[in-house]
């Protein structure tokens, strides 16, 4: 038996072993609101449903492409299982962290009885040791096959067939086939690298009418063919192709569509860029969506360049005239190429306005979303990747900000929130990628720039859990009068500006106790950009302002051919930026460390 075949044999049972010591990203290629991975024949119609448990133990829609972390804790069954359509099924104890729920059921949405089977294909590279993939499946009422290898393109999978023995009646939802998946502790970094960036777990459900057939297997094999390696590979390939089509973003035509909204429903699905623009119009018109959920059902590209213009159209922030108070669930999708110029909205100096995907949040939730390729800048207001400003109780969960640039002039600028009031804010599973830049416009000297929050108000509570911050802060601009002003850079890799201060060993620092800050598994990573070099010019040159030596920074920096002879004082002086929480006054030093924060220096 080969090493690969040994790994397959062990997939049939759940092994209660230790947890994986490395991490990866999982990609799930099915979305319940599409026809992807559903095949029918005859007068039948089905819907494949994929769910996961929520924080209260109930069920919610499965979120795609979420990260998988090492399973930590005792590998035991929970005393209480998960209720799926009125029946309780075993799941692992909540003390075992980071196990991935993927609860697959099938609903008969047609008018005829149907025989149903689900083929589950799990990416399974050639492991050695060989017992790394474990599954929690439901055997009741199903006939299932052994796990069998199949190669699709250059990717190795194992698949099994779960056939429901009894016919599924109209409006009936089946028992689950798959419930949970995890990897064993024997996996090495080399083993995990074989997955690439994602771990594919694909489910394909098939249904046929019952009339004229003696049993489910005969009916399904007659309709679709027996499930062998050839057919399985074809179906998986087709599912991959359909899923790839779903990933193609809907592009914006510059208009807004509000036709999807009504006053009755409490949950809405946005499938187009125009509908997202309509969402902005609705909130700006005074609809705060309190108690309502808006979901994305597709990737959205907001780049729009009208004929005869040279600048992209600015996307109006959702809630720049009134706050959004509902829930936006991105369902793992990406909003790309958000472009916003504050001048397009009239937010020049003295005319305040908040920009970001949202203008203002008030006791809102934003989750399961990636913002990629955004560029937002404003002279007269706060800017944030997700929201310019926030108040009340807000939750940000499963959020990634990547390849983006945000800038302001003497206001708040944050990867998630620009300015936050004295509310309660939770950040869970948030990543601010290294290719994201937070900057000050021109020669800003009072910009409050933070990797997560630009400016925080006293009395606010901030909870950070599983947060990775590796963005670059162009914070040379906030201290431009003289060398001494570098002592109060109002910037930090987590929060830029904390106004309250305390004295420690004769020096002034931000008083974090006035802000109720809790950090758990937070990682701050500095690149070599932190090694700022400073030149103080000859009086009268550059309005007497100090300058950052290195060129190539957003909205400023010295040109490549700058004549450094102009810097007659403090010529080329190294002043590293090294603080995770910044202060708000001259002479206030930033904090370099904090409980629950791991600081990594990749500077050379």
């Amino acid at each position: 038996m080969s090493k690969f075949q040994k790994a397959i044999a062990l997939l049939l049972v759940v092994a209660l072993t230790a947890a994986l010591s490395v991490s990866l990203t999982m990609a799930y290629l099915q979305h319940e609101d599409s026809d992807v991975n559903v095949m029918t024949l005859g007068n039948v119609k089905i819907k494949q449903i994929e769910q996961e448990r929520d924080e209260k133990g109930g069920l919610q829609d499965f979120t795609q492409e979420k990260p998988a972390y090492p399973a930590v804790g005792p590998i035991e069954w929970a005393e209480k299982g998960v209720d799926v359509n009125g029946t309780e099924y075993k799941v692992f104890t909540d003390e075992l962290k980071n196990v991935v729920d993927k609860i697959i059921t099938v609903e008969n949405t047609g008018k005829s009885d149907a025989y149903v089977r689900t083929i589950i294909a799990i990416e399974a590279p050639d492991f050695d040791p060989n017992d790394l993939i474990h599954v929690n499946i439901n055997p009741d009422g199903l006939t299932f096959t052994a796990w069998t290898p199949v190669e699709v393109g250059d990717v190795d999978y194992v698949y099994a067939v779960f056939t429901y023995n009894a016919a599924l009646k109209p409006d009936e939802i089946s028992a689950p086939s798959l419930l949970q998946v995890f990897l064993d502790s024997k996996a090495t970094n080399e083993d995990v690298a074989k997955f690439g960036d994602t771990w594919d777990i694909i489910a394909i459900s098939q249904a046929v009418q019952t009339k004229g057939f003696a049993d489910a297997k005969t009916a399904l094999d007659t309709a679709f063919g027996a499930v062998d390696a050839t057919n399985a590979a074809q179906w998986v390939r087709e599912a991959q192709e359909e899923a790839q089509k779903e990933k193609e973003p809907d592009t914006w035509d510059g208009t807004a569509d509000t036709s999807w909204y009504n006053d009755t429903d409490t949950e809405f699905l946005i499938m187009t860029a125009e509908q997202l623009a309509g969402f902005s119009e609705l909130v700006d018109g005074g609809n705060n969506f309190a108690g309502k959920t808006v979901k994305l059902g597709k990737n959205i590209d907001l780049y729009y360049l009208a004929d005869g213009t040279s600048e992209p159209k600015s996307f109006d922030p959702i809630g720049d005239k009134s706050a959004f108070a509902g829930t936006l669930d991105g369902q793992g999708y990406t909003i790309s190429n958000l472009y916003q110029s504050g001048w397009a909205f009239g937010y020049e100096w003295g005319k305040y306005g908040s920009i970001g995907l949202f203008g203002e949040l008030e006791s809102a939730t934003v989750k399961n979303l990636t913002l990629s390729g955004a560029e937002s800048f404003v002279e007269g207001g706060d800017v944030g990747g997700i929201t310019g400003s926030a108040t009340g109780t807000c939750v940000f969960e499963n959020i990634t900000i990547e390849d983006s640039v945000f800038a302001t002039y003497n206001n708040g600028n944050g990867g998630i929130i620009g300015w936050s009031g004295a509310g309660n804010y939770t950040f869970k599973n948030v990543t601010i990628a290294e290719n994201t830049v937070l900057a000050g416009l021109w020669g800003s000297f009072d910009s409050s720039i933070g990797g997560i929050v630009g400016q925080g108000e006293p009395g606010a509570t901030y909870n950070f859990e599983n947060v990775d911050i590796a963005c670059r802060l162009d914070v040379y601009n906030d201290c431009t009068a003289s060398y001494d002003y570098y002592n109060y850079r109002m910037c930090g890799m987590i929060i830029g500006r904390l106004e309250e201060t305390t004295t420690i060993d004769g020096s002034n620092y931000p008083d974090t106790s006035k802000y109720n800050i809790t950090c758990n598994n937070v990682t701050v990573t500095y690149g070599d950009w932190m090694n700022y070099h400073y030149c103080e010019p000859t009086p009268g040159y550059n309005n007497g302002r100090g300058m950052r030596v290195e060129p190539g920074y957003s909205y400023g920096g010295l040109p490549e051919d700058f004549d450094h002879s102009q810097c007659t004082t403090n010529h080329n002086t190294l002043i590293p930026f090294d603080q995770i929480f910044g202060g708000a006054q001259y002479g206030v030093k930033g904090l370099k460390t904090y409980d629950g924060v791991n600081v990594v220096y990749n500077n050379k």
Side-chain angles (χ1 to χ4, degrees), residues 103-364:
I103 301 168
I104 301 173
T105 58
V106 179
E107 180 181 3
N108 185 344
T109 58
K111 298 181 179 179
S112 303
D113 291 358
Y115 285 130
V116 177
R117 70 186 177 194
T118 298
I119 300 100
I120 296 173
I122 301 177
E123 184 181 1
D126 187 3
F127 282 124
D128 186 19
N130 53 54
D131 52 345
L132 299 177
I133 303 176
H134 304 288
V135 295
N136 176 9
I137 62 174
N138 165 45
D140 297 334
L142 295 97
T143 300
F144 54 93
T145 65
W147 294 92
T148 306
V150 63
E151 185 175 341
V152 182
D154 58 355
V155 180
D156 290 328
Y157 292 86
V158 291
Y159 73 90
V161 185
F162 296 78
T163 303
Y164 292 90
N165 299 325
L168 195 64
K169 298 186 178 300
D171 300 323
E172 185 179 4
I173 299 177
S174 73
S177 49
L178 180 66
L179 290 156
Q180 295 172 303
V181 182
F182 72 93
L183 298 182
D184 191 86
S185 63
K186 297 182 180 68
T188 65
N189 289 333
E190 290 75 16
D191 293 327
V192 174
K194 296 175 184 177
F195 285 110
D197 295 332
T198 59
W199 185 14
D200 291 345
I201 302 174
I202 301 173
I204 304 162
S205 293
Q206 300 172 333
V208 65
Q209 80 265 9
T210 60
K211 188 174 182 180
F213 295 104
D215 58 74
K217 185 178 186 306
T218 301
L220 290 159
D221 284 353
T222 301
F224 302 102
V227 186
D228 55 20
T230 300
N231 283 336
Q234 177 183 338
W235 295 331
V236 170
R237 186 179 301 109
E238 289 172 352
Q240 290 173 330
E241 291 172 353
E242 288 299 318
Q244 186 59 41
K245 290 180 182 178
E246 281 214 332
K247 290 182 179 179
E248 293 297 321
D250 183 81
T251 57
W252 192 27
D253 67 5
T255 65
D257 174 14
T258 60
S259 63
W260 52 272
Y261 179 77
N262 62 72
D263 292 328
T264 304
D265 294 340
T266 59
E267 186 172 299
F268 303 92
L269 183 69
I270 286 179
M271 296 293 293
T272 71
E274 292 74 36
Q275 290 175 340
L276 188 67
F279 180 28
S280 176
E281 282 194 0
L282 290 165
V283 178
D284 288 349
N287 185 344
N288 67 7
F289 280 76
K292 299 179 181 180
T293 297
V294 177
K295 296 182 178 181
L296 295 186
K298 194 170 180 60
N299 294 324
I300 290 176
D301 185 344
L302 290 176
Y303 179 83
Y304 174 71
L305 186 66
D307 292 341
T309 62
S310 58
E311 182 180 5
K313 182 173 181 176
S314 288
F315 180 83
D316 196 11
I318 302 167
D320 65 338
K321 297 178 179 65
S322 61
F324 175 70
T327 294
L328 174 66
D329 184 354
Q331 298 199 113
Y333 289 103
T334 297
I335 295 176
S336 59
N337 298 319
L338 169 72
Y339 180 83
Q340 294 170 320
S341 165
W343 291 286
F345 311 125
Y347 299 151
E348 58 192 49
W349 188 248
K351 296 181 180 179
Y352 177 85
S354 296
I355 69 170
L357 178 62
F358 291 86
E360 181 179 350
L361 298 179
E362 182 177 359
S363 295

Side-chain angles (χ1 to χ4, degrees), residues 287-539:
N287 185 344
N288 67 7
F289 280 76
K292 299 179 181 180
T293 297
V294 177
K295 296 182 178 181
L296 295 186
K298 194 170 180 60
N299 294 324
I300 290 176
D301 185 344
L302 290 176
Y303 179 83
Y304 174 71
L305 186 66
D307 292 341
T309 62
S310 58
E311 182 180 5
K313 182 173 181 176
S314 288
F315 180 83
D316 196 11
I318 302 167
D320 65 338
K321 297 178 179 65
S322 61
F324 175 70
T327 294
L328 174 66
D329 184 354
Q331 298 199 113
Y333 289 103
T334 297
I335 295 176
S336 59
N337 298 319
L338 169 72
Y339 180 83
Q340 294 170 320
S341 165
W343 291 286
F345 311 125
Y347 299 151
E348 58 192 49
W349 188 248
K351 296 181 180 179
Y352 177 85
S354 296
I355 69 170
L357 178 62
F358 291 86
E360 181 179 350
L361 298 179
E362 182 177 359
S363 295
T365 295
V366 181
K367 61 183 180 178
N368 307 321
L369 179 67
T370 294
L371 189 67
S372 181
E375 182 177 6
S376 300
F377 50 94
V378 59
E379 177 185 7
D382 299 305
V383 60
I386 297 300
T387 182
S389 63
T391 57
T393 299
C394 294
V395 176
F396 304 89
E397 184 173 5
N398 300 328
I399 302 289
T400 296
I401 309 294
E402 62 183 19
D403 194 23
S404 297
V405 178
F406 308 109
T408 186
Y409 180 71
N410 293 4
N411 283 285
N413 179 1
I416 299 296
I417 303 174
W419 173 88
S420 61
N424 191 315
Y425 307 95
T426 297
F427 306 88
K428 185 175 181 180
N429 301 333
V430 171
T431 297
I432 312 297
E434 62 182 358
N435 57 5
T436 290
V437 179
L438 307 180
L441 287 174
W442 315 305
S444 302
F445 56 88
D446 278 336
S447 293
S448 304
I449 303 177
I452 300 294
V453 178
Q455 182 172 340
E457 292 297 318
T461 296
Y462 301 97
N463 299 295
F464 302 95
E465 181 179 356
N466 296 333
V467 173
D468 290 312
I469 308 166
C471 56
R472 188 177 78 193
L473 305 190
D474 284 1
V475 295
Y476 71 98
N477 276 334
D478 68 338
C479 28
T480 55
S482 70
Y483 176 86
D484 291 339
Y485 276 69
Y486 274 90
N487 290 327
Y488 85 117
R489 286 189 274 197
M490 299 191 299
C491 303
M493 291 294 283
I494 300 178
I495 300 178
R497 178 177 179 172
L498 297 176
E499 188 170 353
E500 295 290 328
T501 63
T502 187
T503 302
I504 303 174
D505 296 332
S507 297
N508 294 325
Y509 292 91
D511 187 355
T512 55
S513 68
K514 300 292 180 63
Y515 300 84
N516 304 312
I517 299 171
T518 301
C519 295
N520 179 22
N521 193 31
V522 175
T523 300
V524 167
T525 303
Y526 291 100
D528 57 7
W529 60 266
M530 70 178 291
N531 291 325
Y532 289 96
H533 289 80
Y534 175 85
C535 284
E536 193 163 321
T538 303

